[in-house]
Amino acid sequence: MSEHILVSVAWPYANGPFHVGHIAGAYLPADIYARYNRLRGRQVLMVSGSDCHGTPITLAAEKEGVTPQTIINRYHASFVDSLVALGITFDLFTQTYTDNHYAATTDIFETLQRNGYIYREVAIGSYSESLGRFLPDRFVQGTCPNCKYEKARGDQCDKCGQLRDPQELSNPRSTLDGAPVTFRDTEHFYIDLAKLEPKLRAWLDAQDRDYWRTNTLVFTQNWLREGLRGRAITRDLEWGVPVPGNDPAFKDKRIYVWFDAVIGYYSASLEWAKRTGQPDAWRKWWDPQGDQRSYYFIGKDNIPFHTIIWPAMLLGYGDRALPYDVPANEFLNLEGEKMSTSQNWALWMPDLLSRYEPDLLRYYLTAAAPEGKDSNWSWAEFVQRINSELVATWGNLVNRVLTLSQKNFGGVPTPSTYTDADKALLQSIDEGFARVESLYESVKLRGALQEIMALAQASNQYLSEQEPWKVVKVDAERAATIMFVAMQAVDTLNRLMAPIMPHACQRLHHMLGFDDVIAPQPHLEHEQDPEGHARPVVTGAYAVTGWQRSRIQPGTALRDVTTLFRKLDDAVVADELARLTTKN
Ligand SMILES: [Zn+2]
């Protein structure tokens, strides 16, 4: 396995706060994977930031009568607060509205141009007569010529996954006001994907991609079957990265938001390196000959941009590492229905974080992760899983082991000879450790959590059979051995769980007498560009090692032993469901 792991996470549009689907689909799995790799002693670079360009932001600004910057500042700050509260350990969560990002985008554009992969062409633009302006492709809706889906977007059909041009749709209309869309000539720059196709196919075929998730493979193959063709990288809009070259014909046009957003993974790596004072440090994660692997955590609606377009851009640019894996997630529904931000059928993170401990959210979102298939947030299931799994299985195990040891032995007891039952539990924990490791390694995070909880269940079962609370009254030495075996199980499971529930795991690690950090936390810093543009960023110092089986020593004093998790009141279900409906 490689030494340098780049964890690239989807760039959220700064036109609304995070909802729970964003977190389940990209940010939480990315964080768990990053934390796991850091525990393994690997060098992780985890980056993302707010996507500040594009029509959703200019529309939000127009609606409120404010500048795009006002919208960006508001939601970028909200993203940063949610990420810090949830404990998402970005090395850098920045934004695309920075000098650094504009420079990186210009560099990639100009290099692609120099290398012969960019051309100019007069194209047909989607024009809204009712609004008197060009519309971005995704604001055009119509019937897909391939699968006949009636709500296909102008840029992509969500049903069959094919990328589209708006004029290919029948009955094209604007999603803004439902009025018909007409088409007008407009000149743009294009990336020559057809010319890049041989290189792209050679890269894809160079190794077996069986380790990719099924959705990643299928969306990629479907799209490649069509053959690649040029794709516009500029558009008629006055908000965004200016088109390099100072051509007056492009004065009122900007870089297309998809083009600069994917460059964000790279520009954020450069920005991170500059901030550390070692401006070349990013190279270890981007050198194609280096000891590195890059992972892109995204939702399934973004797959072709990360398995085809971004790799093609990197191949055209030259000498940069391509994605190793794109563990795209499916969608998280809410109470059985597709989330919809426009209809406010969503759970917003600032709201959830004001009522629930971050680890409860992290636990449930991992247990119900949309890995491999769509999944569902249900409040009844949330309360049931927290109460019967997290509290009754794991919390109860920890509580029994720590309080019994404290009460009877004043800390971690000293064992004598192990019985077969003791050895059997220790062996199953040991074997479980290897299985969990392999699940984390292949980004099967829900499976890893299931395995850990099964081991917690087995440990509870062991305690129930051994009954140390009875044994201690007649045979203190045997009771001490039982408690020491159980203490090792708790310590090992806590280490395995640290990537998923960092807050509680670090607390328990401290209770067990350890002074080192196994689950570091991010913090907010303020950053300022030379021209004065200021923004908060998420960053942190996360170097840890601790991916190991129990290190607990007999005679260790336990510290600040308290309950790890509290049961949720059953009334939570009705309260939360009422909130959902009253907001509509
Ligand atoms: Zn379709």
Side-chain angles (χ1 to χ4, degrees):
M1 187 63 190
S2 307
E3 180 64 22
H4 295 91
I5 306 293
L6 179 69
V7 177
S8 298
V9 200
W11 287 62
Y13 263 133
N15 70 334
F18 278 131
H19 63 66
V20 77
H22 295 128
I23 302 301
Y27 303 91
L28 180 57
D31 181 59
I32 294 170
Y33 194 65
R35 285 175 176 276
Y36 161 74
N37 275 285
R38 292 193 195 103
L39 283 168
R40 294 293 307 268
R42 297 172 185 148
Q43 306 295 308
V44 172
L45 177 60
M46 173 160 152
V47 293
S48 181
S50 299
D51 184 345
C52 299
H53 301 131
T55 315
I57 285 152
T58 54
L59 285 174
E62 280 171 28
K63 213 170 173 181
E64 292 187 26
V66 297
T67 60
Q69 287 93 328
T70 304
I71 301 291
I72 292 165
N73 288 344
R74 182 192 308 156
Y75 294 114
H76 177 73
S78 168
F79 290 158
V80 165
D81 287 347
S82 292
L83 293 169
V84 170
L86 261 176
I88 307 293
T89 48
F90 275 109
D91 291 281
L92 187 65
F93 182 87
T94 177
Q95 54 177 232
T96 56
Y97 184 51
T98 66
D99 293 351
N100 169 74
H101 179 73
Y102 278 41
T105 303
T106 302
D107 170 41
I108 290 194
F109 182 101
E110 290 178 342
T111 306
L112 285 170
Q113 200 169 33
R114 219 167 31 243
N115 293 346
Y117 295 116
I118 285 183
Y119 62 90
R120 284 166 80 140
E121 197 170 273
V122 175
I124 304 165
S126 312
Y127 195 83
S128 163
E129 302 286 348
S130 57
L131 300 175
R133 68 152 86 130
F134 284 99
L135 288 175
D137 293 351
R138 56 196 295 268
F139 285 86
V140 181
Q141 203 175 60
T143 305
C144 172
N146 179 51
C147 72
K148 308 299 173 204
Y149 179 52
E150 287 177 7
K151 288 183 176 173
R153 290 199 320 260
D155 55 346
Q156 184 176 13
C157 174
D158 281 337
K159 190 89 175 267
C160 67
Q162 287 189 355
L163 297 189
R164 290 266 152 249
D165 283 332
Q167 64 271 28
E168 295 171 348
L169 303 174
S170 35
N171 187 26
R173 55 207 183 275
S174 161
T175 60
L176 297 178
D177 59 5
V181 164
T182 58
F183 299 99
R184 290 189 179 189
D185 281 358
T186 173
E187 188 176 25
H188 285 295
F189 281 105
Y190 284 71
I191 180 164
D192 197 342
L193 292 175
K195 199 168 171 182
L196 286 160
E197 183 170 347
K199 276 181 190 247
L200 185 77
R201 284 188 184 271
W203 164 67
L204 279 167
D205 294 343
Q207 73 177 97
D208 201 335
R209 305 276 165 193
D210 280 356
Y211 63 92
W212 281 12
R213 289 184 181 172
T214 309
N215 59 0
T216 305
L217 276 172
V218 168
F219 272 85
T220 305
Q221 285 160 354
N222 277 351
W223 197 68
L224 271 178
R225 201 166 293 134
E226 298 276 293
L228 303 188
R229 56 205 168 123
R231 195 168 171 85
I233 58 173
T234 58
R235 59 186 302 198
D236 296 275
L237 188 73
E238 286 175 26
W239 174 244
V241 182
V243 181
N246 296 317
D247 186 329
F250 284 84
K251 184 172 62 68
D252 294 334
K253 306 187 186 201
R254 294 291 179 273
I255 295 289
Y256 211 145
V257 63
W258 69 258
F259 185 81
D260 90 79
V262 288
I263 291 172
Y265 304 118
Y266 177 61
S267 69
S269 303
L270 302 185
E271 186 184 341
W272 167 81
K274 278 180 217 157
R275 294 184 90 249
T276 65
Q278 294 175 288
D280 278 329
W282 59 272
R283 291 185 185 278
K284 292 176 199 151
W285 288 270
W286 286 92
D287 174 4
Q289 269 76 51
D291 183 19
Q292 53 71 30
R293 277 182 181 179
S294 50
Y295 291 77
Y296 289 76
F297 287 84
I298 57 162
K300 65 176 165 187
D301 48 338
N302 263 324
I303 291 170
F305 283 96
H306 293 82
T307 58
I308 291 176
I309 295 181
W310 176 230
M313 287 164 65
L314 289 169
L315 285 164
Y317 183 80
D319 201 31
R320 294 291 178 266
L322 300 175
Y324 172 76
D325 197 3
V326 181
N329 271 317
E330 305 288 313
F331 294 140
L332 180 72
N333 294 320
L334 174 57
E335 298 295 344
E337 286 176 52
K338 198 175 153 87
M339 273 192 241
S340 161
T341 54
S342 57
Q343 291 167 43
N344 201 22
W345 188 253
L347 297 173
W348 302 100
M349 288 318 290
D351 189 42
L352 276 184
L353 284 163
S354 72
R355 291 196 296 284
Y356 299 98
E357 283 177 50
D359 282 3
L360 300 192
L361 302 172
R362 293 179 64 117
Y363 178 82
Y364 180 56
L365 288 175
T366 307
E371 245 180 64
K373 58 177 190 302
D374 287 353
S375 64
N376 183 42
W377 176 295
S378 129
W379 279 109
E381 193 199 354
F382 174 76
V383 171
Q384 185 262 327
R385 278 186 178 268
I386 297 302
N387 287 351
S388 71
E389 295 174 11
L390 194 55
V391 178
T393 301
W394 174 236
N396 185 36
L397 172 68
V398 170
N399 194 44
R400 285 207 283 183
V401 172
L402 267 64
T403 52
L404 273 173
S405 297
Q406 185 77 314
K407 187 175 141 209
N408 294 297
F409 306 101
V412 182
T414 304
S416 56
T417 319
Y418 288 156
T419 64
D420 286 348
D422 302 343
K423 289 180 198 159
L425 180 71
L426 291 173
Q427 193 187 335
S428 71
I429 299 281
D430 205 45
E431 288 165 2
F433 189 97
R435 282 196 299 275
V436 171
E437 179 177 292
S438 132
L439 288 163
Y440 272 130
E441 203 65 55
S442 50
V443 207
K444 294 187 173 108
L445 310 177
R446 199 175 55 193
L449 179 56
Q450 271 166 9
E451 185 69 41
I452 297 166
M453 292 306 288
L455 295 170
Q457 190 71 54
S459 306
N460 271 322
Q461 181 72 27
Y462 165 84
L463 277 186
S464 302
E465 285 161 12
Q466 299 300 317
E467 301 183 304
W469 44 89
K470 284 187 188 163
V471 175
V472 73
K473 291 172 192 154
V474 291
D475 184 350
E477 192 177 294
R478 174 62 197 145
T481 305
I482 298 168
M483 293 318 298
F484 187 68
V485 167
M487 192 70 83
Q488 290 178 79
V490 164
D491 183 26
T492 300
L493 295 187
N494 192 49
R495 290 161 186 270
L496 289 176
M497 232 178 276
I500 299 170
M501 289 183 290
H503 304 86
C505 290
Q506 187 61 46
R507 258 192 346 262
L508 176 53
H509 196 60
H510 169 83
M511 289 183 214
L512 294 175
F514 295 103
D515 290 321
D516 62 324
V517 175
I518 56 168
Q521 294 299 345
H523 65 267
L524 181 158
E525 283 183 17
H526 288 281
E527 193 57 51
Q528 192 151 8
D529 274 358
E531 97 291 11
H533 171 62
R535 63 189 182 280
V537 297
V538 181
T539 187
Y542 308 123
V544 284
T545 50
W547 189 254
Q548 51 202 6
R549 290 151 173 90
S550 178
R551 285 286 180 278
I552 200 127
Q553 296 299 320
T556 306
L558 299 174
R559 300 185 292 203
D560 311 318
V561 174
T562 50
T563 309
L564 217 44
F565 300 106
R566 291 186 188 288
K567 265 192 144 169
L568 294 172
D569 195 312
D570 286 336
V572 161
V573 179
D575 286 354
E576 292 291 351
L577 288 174
R579 265 177 219 274
L580 270 180
T581 41
T582 51
K583 270 191 188 164
N584 269 315

